[in-house]
């Protein structure tokens, strides 16, 4: 039915050309003029990749693409367009969703997001009203715009698409990106009944770059389901956490195909070995090439492919959650709590912030100053942990004290109970004095910031993290410790995952000096704009 409307009179087509020319030249693409969610009807699937680029900058959030026809065998073209559309979309911020079912009037077009602008192929000029009526989630106030398709080059070719009842696919699916969309779309395209998506649970993600910034598995599952039910609502979906690479594929005989990327294709052999052990038929596999990251934001430190790791790296120095007003402390000076474990590079971040103009209060230095010879804390520590921790000069031997407390959690807790109240009292006194001196921003640096909940004395919390093994290595080299001694000290700190959960902004000085500086610049620029407002 839909194919028939793609043939229109020359007069209608000519009018479409004129209207679309006016539209494409005169449209205001500023953010305030952008629509929220759009749906684009394209008559010929072979032209999708070219037409999408004409409108992506006119939609802020989600752009749906609904096709009407194509060559007699549509599936190979559609499979090819999945790769084309999402690969080219890596340079756009719009969430593009290529719907896999060709429209069939009067069938409704369901969407999870309400549509406030409709784009239609110029050859569909006679069917605009029918297109509007087909959308079941259309805003009452919406715009309709024409897009000229005459003369657009059509793609040809494409591999044969074999269909299966039960298809499986797996991944982390953190902050669903266009590489994920290719993987999920190719799985859905090949399924006639059911798609299972295994989403890696927390035990499977800890080897990934900045895994602490990965979204909770519940949120990732929701994102996958939202996308799949948009691109083909007729299929049955099961999206669930998995604790190993096999998921249900190792024991369920119904699965026939698994869709994998070039990176994960070696896992198919292991899955089929398990299936053979369980007396099951091996799975067929469909392997997808990695999508190249074409974004201008790409840096030397990042992967060349489209990846969640790149996205997480780009979050460094950005506001992860807006600060909440803190009525318990003065508005000025504005206090930034800087948290980070031992050997995380916190001091280098502090120095960069000092060069930006912030005053610094280092709680760790204050703690050391407070148990100098002759002070009450010095005597208290000697009485609590033994006189052998005091040197001939009366100083606290921090290495001996560390050996005691980092091997015994109870003794570490006792040390904290002695030190923390005195440290925070002196810290607050110094912050007040710096404010009186005229400093607008004070950075309060403390290794125990999160554990002691000292961020309640701050307006924002910024956290510094590096991988655990890197922290152990740095600590060994810096303090001349054995690997076991370094591990004890690192593991006694607040875990990275807790530092991140509490933070407004996160840094990681794990890569180059310049990459760290970029994070600082981003955070400081945001802070200055925030303070002005």
């Amino acid at each position: 039915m839909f194919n028939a409307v793609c043939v229109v009179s020359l007069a209608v087509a000519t009018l479409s050309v004129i209207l679309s020319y006016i539209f494409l030249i005169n449209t205001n693409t500023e953010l305030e003029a952008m629509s929220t969610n759009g749906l684009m009807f394209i008559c010929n699937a072979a032209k999708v990749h070219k037409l999408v680029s004409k409108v992506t900058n006119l939609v802020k959030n989600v752009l749906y693409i609904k096709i009407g026809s194509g060559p007699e065998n549509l599936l190979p073209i559609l499979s090819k367009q999945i790769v084309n559309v999402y690969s080219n979309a890596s340079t756009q911020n719009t969430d593009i969703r290529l719907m896999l079912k060709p429209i069939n009037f009067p069938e409704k077009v369901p969407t999870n997001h309400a549509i406030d602008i409709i784009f239609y192929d110029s050859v569909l000029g006679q069917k605009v009203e029918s297109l509007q009526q087909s959308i079941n989630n259309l805003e009452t106030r919406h715009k309709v715009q024409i897009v000229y398709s005459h003369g657009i080059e059509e793609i040809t070719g494409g591999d044969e698409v074999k269909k299966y009842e039960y298809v499986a696919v797996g991944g982390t699916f953190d902050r669903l990106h266009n590489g994920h969309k290719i993987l999920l779309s190719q799985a859905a395209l090949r399924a006639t009944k059911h798609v299972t998506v295994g989403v890696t649970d927390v035990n499977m993600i800890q080897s990934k770059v900045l895994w602490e910034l990965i979204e909770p598995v519940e949120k990732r599952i929701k994102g996958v389901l939202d996308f799949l039910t948009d691109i083909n609502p007729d299929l049955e979906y099961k999206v669930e956490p998995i604790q190993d690479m096999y998921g249900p594929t190792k024991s369920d005989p119904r699965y026939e195909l698994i869709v994998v990327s070039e990176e994960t294709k070696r896992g198919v052999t292991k899955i089929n070995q398990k299936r053979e052990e369980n007396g099951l038929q091996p799975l067929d596999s469909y392997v997808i090439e990695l999508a190249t990251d074409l974004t201008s934001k790409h840096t030397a430190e990042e992967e060349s492919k489209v990846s969640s790791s790149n996205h997480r790296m780009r979050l460094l120095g950005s506001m992860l959650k807006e600060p909440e007003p803190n009525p318990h402390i003065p508005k000025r000076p504005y206090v930034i709590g800087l948290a980070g474990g031992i050997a995380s590079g916190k001091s280098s971040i502090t120095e960069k912030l000092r060069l930006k103009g912030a005053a610094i209060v280092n709680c760790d230095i204050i703690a050391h100053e407070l148990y100098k010879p002759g002070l009450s804390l010095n005597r208290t520590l000697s009485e609590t942990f033994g006189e052998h921790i005091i040197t001939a000069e009366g100083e606290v031997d921090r290495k001996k004290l560390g050996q005691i407390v980092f091997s015994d959690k109870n003794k570490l807790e006792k040390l904290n109970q002695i030190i923390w109240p005195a440290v925070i009292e002196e810290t607050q006194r110094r912050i007040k004095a710096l404010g009186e001196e005229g400093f607008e921003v004070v950075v309060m640096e403390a290794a125990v910031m999160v554990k002691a909940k000292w961020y309640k004395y701050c307006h924002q919390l910024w956290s510094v993290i590096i991988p655990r093994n890197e922290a152990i290595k740095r600590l060994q080299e810096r303090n001349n410790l054995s690997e076991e001694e370094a591990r004890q000290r690192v593991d006694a700190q607040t875990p990275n995952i807790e530092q991140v959960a509490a933070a407004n902004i996160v840094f990681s000085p794990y890569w180059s000096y310049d990459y760290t500086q970029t994070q600082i610049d981003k955070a400081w620029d945001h802070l200055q704009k925030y303070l002005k407002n």
Side-chain angles (χ1 to χ4, degrees):
M1 178 71 177
F2 188 78
N3 293 355
V5 304
C6 292
V7 180
V8 295
S9 68
L10 179 61
V12 173
T14 303
L15 177 61
S16 297
V17 171
I18 297 170
L19 291 175
S20 61
Y21 178 79
I22 294 171
F23 164 61
L24 291 174
I25 295 299
N26 293 327
T27 298
N28 180 3
T29 60
E30 294 298 321
L31 186 62
E32 59 268 25
M34 294 173 72
S35 298
T36 303
N37 302 308
L39 198 159
M40 185 178 189
F41 291 96
I42 298 177
C43 187
N44 190 338
K47 297 183 178 183
V48 166
H49 64 302
K50 293 291 186 181
L51 289 174
V52 169
S53 63
K54 292 180 178 289
V55 301
T56 47
N57 61 342
L58 305 178
V59 178
K60 191 188 306 181
N61 293 340
V62 181
L63 173 63
Y64 294 95
I65 305 160
K66 189 74 171 176
I67 55 157
S69 67
E72 186 175 339
N73 187 0
L74 176 62
L75 293 182
I77 290 293
L78 201 48
S79 179
K80 196 170 182 179
Q81 289 289 38
I82 286 170
V83 177
N84 288 338
V85 168
Y86 291 122
S87 295
N88 293 330
S90 64
T91 60
Q92 305 287 339
N93 293 323
T94 309
D95 178 358
I96 294 175
R97 302 188 176 195
L98 175 58
M99 301 168 118
L100 302 181
K101 284 185 59 185
I103 193 168
N104 183 22
F105 292 127
E107 186 179 275
K108 289 289 187 179
V109 181
T111 62
N112 290 328
H113 304 268
I115 304 302
D116 61 346
I117 186 167
I118 300 169
F119 302 100
Y120 66 94
D121 192 332
S122 54
V123 299
L124 297 174
Q126 293 180 324
K127 281 290 181 179
V128 174
E129 187 175 344
S130 297
L131 297 177
Q132 290 175 274
Q133 292 173 352
S134 72
I135 303 172
N136 74 345
N137 194 3
L138 182 64
E139 296 281 11
T140 303
R141 297 184 63 181
H142 61 272
K143 293 179 284 187
V144 179
Q145 300 283 12
I146 191 169
V147 180
Y148 174 46
S149 66
H150 181 71
I152 295 289
E153 179 186 359
E154 298 184 17
I155 66 164
T156 58
D159 298 330
E160 179 186 355
V161 175
K162 185 179 177 181
K163 289 281 196 171
Y164 302 80
E165 273 199 0
Y166 276 75
V167 177
V169 63
T172 303
F173 301 108
D174 179 41
R175 295 174 175 86
L176 202 70
H177 58 63
N178 291 306
H180 296 144
K181 291 177 182 179
I182 293 174
L183 194 70
L184 294 169
S185 297
Q186 296 289 14
L189 185 68
R190 286 160 175 77
T192 59
K193 180 179 180 180
H194 176 97
V195 175
T196 287
V197 184
V199 182
T200 53
D201 213 340
V202 68
N203 65 307
M204 294 186 68
I205 63 176
Q206 295 181 22
S207 62
K208 292 186 174 294
V209 174
L210 296 171
W211 70 271
E212 299 90 347
L213 293 176
I214 291 177
E215 295 173 319
V217 67
E218 297 82 7
K219 187 172 183 179
R220 289 180 277 137
I221 286 173
K222 184 179 179 182
V224 168
L225 263 176
D226 183 75
F227 177 76
L228 285 173
T229 52
D230 260 344
I231 64 170
N232 189 351
D234 290 350
L235 291 175
E236 175 183 288
Y237 298 110
K238 182 169 72 171
V239 185
E240 60 184 8
I242 53 173
Q243 282 71 42
D244 57 43
M245 65 177 293
Y246 306 104
T249 59
K250 64 179 179 290
S251 56
D252 193 328
R254 294 176 298 175
Y255 292 106
E256 304 162 296
L257 174 72
I258 185 166
V259 179
V260 294
S261 70
E262 287 180 324
E263 281 186 326
T264 58
K265 64 183 180 182
R266 288 177 296 180
V268 178
T269 302
K270 294 182 179 180
I271 290 171
N272 280 335
Q273 287 173 348
K274 281 284 186 183
R275 287 178 68 87
E276 186 178 357
E277 291 170 9
N278 293 329
L280 303 177
Q281 289 293 316
L283 298 174
D284 286 350
S285 62
Y286 182 78
V287 181
I288 293 168
E289 293 183 5
L290 298 175
T292 302
D293 189 348
L294 302 175
T295 177
S296 59
K297 297 178 183 177
H298 187 76
T299 68
E301 289 80 7
E302 296 172 354
E303 297 176 309
S304 58
K305 63 173 184 173
V306 175
S307 75
S308 298
S309 298
N310 287 354
H311 190 99
R312 291 192 296 275
M313 289 174 70
R314 291 166 194 164
L315 290 175
L316 296 172
S318 301
M319 186 64 68
L320 299 180
K321 61 180 180 182
E322 289 296 321
E324 297 179 1
N326 189 342
H328 304 295
I329 59 175
K331 291 184 178 180
R332 290 294 186 273
Y334 197 83
V335 182
I336 302 293
L338 189 66
I342 192 168
S344 64
K346 192 167 69 276
S347 296
S348 68
I349 298 293
T350 301
E351 177 59 18
K352 292 178 188 301
L353 292 171
R354 185 189 68 78
L355 293 173
K356 289 287 189 182
I360 309 298
V361 175
N362 189 317
C363 297
D364 300 335
I365 292 176
I366 290 175
H368 301 153
E369 290 175 351
L370 289 176
Y371 49 71
K372 283 185 175 179
L375 297 180
S376 60
L377 276 180
N378 184 287
R379 292 190 297 273
T380 302
L381 292 175
S382 175
E383 292 166 1
T384 305
F385 297 104
E387 293 183 0
H388 66 287
I389 69 166
I390 306 298
T391 66
E393 292 76 24
E395 300 276 357
V396 173
D397 188 325
R398 291 165 54 192
K399 187 170 184 179
K400 286 183 178 179
L401 181 60
Q403 289 172 341
I404 294 170
V405 299
F406 288 121
S407 60
D408 187 323
K409 289 185 177 180
N410 291 329
K411 289 180 179 178
L412 179 59
E413 185 63 31
K414 185 176 290 186
L415 174 66
N416 293 337
Q417 290 173 357
I418 294 170
I419 297 293
W420 286 358
V423 171
I424 195 61
E425 182 180 354
E426 175 62 15
T427 298
Q428 287 184 290
R429 187 192 68 76
R430 295 189 186 186
I431 289 173
K432 182 180 179 182
L434 288 167
E436 291 171 351
E437 291 177 25
F439 283 97
E440 185 179 28
V441 177
V442 175
V443 173
M444 174 181 162
E445 177 190 346
V448 298
M449 177 70 67
V450 173
K451 188 173 184 179
K453 294 184 170 59
W454 285 350
Y455 49 77
K456 64 186 178 183
Y457 302 105
C458 307
H459 297 95
Q460 288 188 38
L461 175 65
W462 295 359
S463 291
V464 184
I465 63 171
I466 60 170
R468 175 176 174 273
N469 288 340
E470 178 67 16
I472 291 170
K473 177 184 172 184
R474 290 184 183 184
L475 191 57
Q476 279 184 268
E477 295 173 354
R478 189 187 77 183
N479 291 17
N480 195 27
L481 299 174
S482 68
E483 183 177 344
E484 180 57 31
E485 288 174 325
R487 183 176 287 108
Q488 285 180 350
R489 282 161 170 74
V490 169
D491 290 345
Q493 307 284 308
T494 303
N496 282 350
I497 191 74
E498 293 181 26
Q499 308 266 23
V500 169
N504 301 100
I505 288 177
V506 174
F507 304 111
S508 183
Y510 178 59
W511 293 276
S512 67
Y513 176 92
D514 288 342
Y515 198 74
T516 302
Q517 187 62 52
T518 299
Q519 300 169 41
I520 298 295
D521 293 343
K522 190 190 304 183
W524 189 261
D525 289 347
H526 185 279
L527 177 63
Q528 297 310 301
K529 292 175 184 176
Y530 182 84
L531 293 178
K532 285 179 181 178
N533 294 331

